[in-house]
Amino acid sequence: MVLMALTGCNASMTEPAKETKMPPGSSVDAKIRRFAPTEITADISQLSEGDRKALTKIIEAAKLLDPLFLRQVWSGNEALQKKLAADTSPEGKARLHYFRINVGPWSRLDNKEPFIEGVPREKPKNANYYPDDMTKEEFESWVKTLPEAEQRRATGFFSVIRRNADNKLKLVPYSEEYREFLEPAAKLLREAADLTTNATLKKFIAKRADALKSDDYYASDVAWMELDAPIDLTFGPYETYEDELFGFKAGFEAYVTVRDEAESEKLKKFSGWLQELENNLPFEPKYRNPKLGAAAPIRVVDLVFSSGDGNHDVQTAAFNLPNDERVVKEKGAKRVMLKNTQEAKFNQTLMPISKVVLEGAQQSEVDFDSFFTHILCHELM
């Protein structure tokens, strides 16, 4: 009932009649119980004093991406969250909690079915990157009227599409649309850059702060590929999954992590064997590569804080970025392995499964170090 007023403030919805009415007995609590609350930790004892202060600033900046991404997911999200927060009953608190898990009123584990009354039955494919009433045909026709440079921006990662006073489509850069979040985030990143003594981290976060204001992420993506620091940061607009209309627009996310030194050494050791493995592959030498090129970097890290598109429903245990084809062609892509998240999934998911499918005598063979080493070797291959 609380959401009926919300749909009134989204008059541009094309089919407002298709709102959700929850079936009797539907339980948000049951949906929440499918998730296992898990505490993960990371060792920051190896960080210098300056890096620890920088880490605090970086986390403050990353927190700003949560409300930003909430806005990106759906045009009604912010108003809905306020209404849910006003309901302090146990049921109301459960709805708000599950809303926050999903960053919206659609259950991502259940094919994006709505779990709150009064919202569209289907999660809008346009997210909040395009007007609610815009069709694909309208967008495509409009893009054809633009100069070539504007066409690239309209179909690029870092702009939203809005309507002007004449109800015509217009392009708005991320730096303008999300200024209230990006300007303070850029300020915090610059303060962090002044605190760290690591040259590659200083370079990346300074360039990324510039990118938040210019919408030009190329130079900072290159700097991210060259990042080699105890603090390993991923921060910015990357994945395009929320844009189900075209797959053009990037959601903001942050992964604030620290390098796992022991696993990094293991990775370095395994990497040193790759040429020998290549030289002994069981086929004719002419088909072997006599000089393997530098492999795309793999980073083994522990997660300290995640936000935005990096923190909803099922948690990411690894990712491969950037998505800019220019950077990938020049520098390759970087694979980041979140070891403590992997271990949490292992303990909360695989261990319980093993107790069902394995005999008791085999339980001692279930071991996270072996599991994770296998993952590292797979990524190296």
Side-chain angles (χ1 to χ4, degrees), residues 16-318:
K18 292 186 176 180
E19 294 174 353
T20 306
K21 290 185 178 180
M22 302 310 295
S26 60
S27 172
V28 172
D29 287 329
K31 296 179 185 296
I32 293 172
R33 285 195 296 271
R34 294 177 298 179
F35 292 86
T38 306
E39 181 178 339
I40 61 172
T41 60
D43 181 10
I44 63 169
S45 61
Q46 81 277 14
L47 297 183
S48 66
E49 182 180 353
D51 277 354
R52 290 191 189 197
K53 291 179 179 178
L55 182 64
T56 299
K57 295 287 186 180
I58 289 168
I59 291 173
E60 288 181 41
K63 287 179 179 178
L64 291 165
L65 301 191
D66 278 328
L68 193 164
F69 183 65
L70 180 76
R71 183 178 297 176
Q72 288 187 303
V73 170
W74 179 45
S75 61
N77 258 348
E78 291 170 294
L80 176 53
Q81 181 172 250
K82 289 180 181 178
K83 289 184 177 292
L84 292 175
D87 184 352
T88 58
S89 68
E91 296 82 4
K93 290 179 179 179
R95 281 190 291 269
L96 177 60
H97 180 52
Y98 200 53
F99 173 90
R100 286 173 172 164
I101 287 174
N102 289 279
V103 194
W106 297 277
S107 180
R108 294 174 186 263
L109 273 184
D110 300 298
N111 297 314
K112 300 174 186 173
E113 294 177 357
F115 58 90
I116 293 174
E117 289 189 350
V119 303
R121 289 181 188 174
E122 295 184 0
K123 184 176 181 292
K125 295 184 182 300
N126 63 295
N128 193 21
Y129 297 121
Y130 312 90
D132 288 334
D133 62 348
M134 188 199 78
T135 64
K136 293 182 71 171
E137 293 74 21
E138 180 185 12
F139 177 83
E140 290 167 347
S141 296
W142 169 70
V143 168
K144 291 177 183 178
T145 69
L146 301 176
E148 185 176 345
E150 292 292 287
Q151 288 186 21
R152 287 196 297 269
R153 291 175 62 201
T155 59
F157 293 135
F158 314 126
S159 66
V160 297
I161 309 303
R162 297 293 181 248
R163 292 196 181 279
N164 60 23
D166 297 324
N167 208 39
K168 303 296 184 181
L169 297 182
K170 67 174 183 177
L171 186 152
V172 181
Y174 274 8
S175 57
E176 180 180 334
E177 179 75 8
Y178 306 122
R179 179 179 293 131
E180 67 182 281
F181 307 113
L182 297 183
E183 285 192 352
K187 180 176 182 294
L188 287 162
L189 290 180
R190 289 192 183 93
E191 291 172 359
D194 290 336
L195 290 166
T196 182
T197 56
N198 182 279
T200 62
L201 179 61
K202 185 185 293 287
K203 179 181 179 180
F204 166 63
I205 54 182
K207 288 185 176 296
R208 184 48 47 113
D210 291 341
L212 296 179
K213 300 189 74 173
S214 70
D215 300 296
D216 183 354
Y217 287 86
Y218 173 78
S220 57
D221 272 346
V222 171
W224 183 74
M225 288 297 299
E226 298 170 347
L227 178 60
D228 185 10
I231 297 174
D232 200 290
L233 173 65
T234 301
F235 189 108
Y238 285 106
E239 305 292 4
T240 61
Y241 302 122
E242 294 299 314
D243 179 1
E244 297 181 86
L245 203 60
F246 295 105
F248 290 155
K249 307 305 178 185
F252 277 87
E253 65 185 3
Y255 294 95
V256 184
T257 70
V258 292
R259 185 167 57 197
D260 188 306
E261 299 293 351
E263 291 297 335
S264 296
E265 285 301 312
K266 183 191 295 184
L267 188 61
K268 186 184 299 184
K269 179 173 67 175
F270 290 163
S271 297
W273 294 338
L274 291 181
Q275 187 64 60
E276 183 177 354
L277 289 171
E278 179 77 13
N279 294 343
N280 288 278
L281 288 174
F283 43 70
E284 293 183 50
K286 65 180 180 179
Y287 296 118
R288 301 173 192 154
N289 187 343
K291 188 176 181 181
L292 287 176
I298 302 175
R299 296 286 185 261
V300 182
V301 299
D302 286 320
L303 182 67
V304 176
F305 184 83
S306 61
S307 62
D309 201 10
N311 186 29
H312 58 75
D313 71 300
V314 178
Q315 298 295 294
T316 296

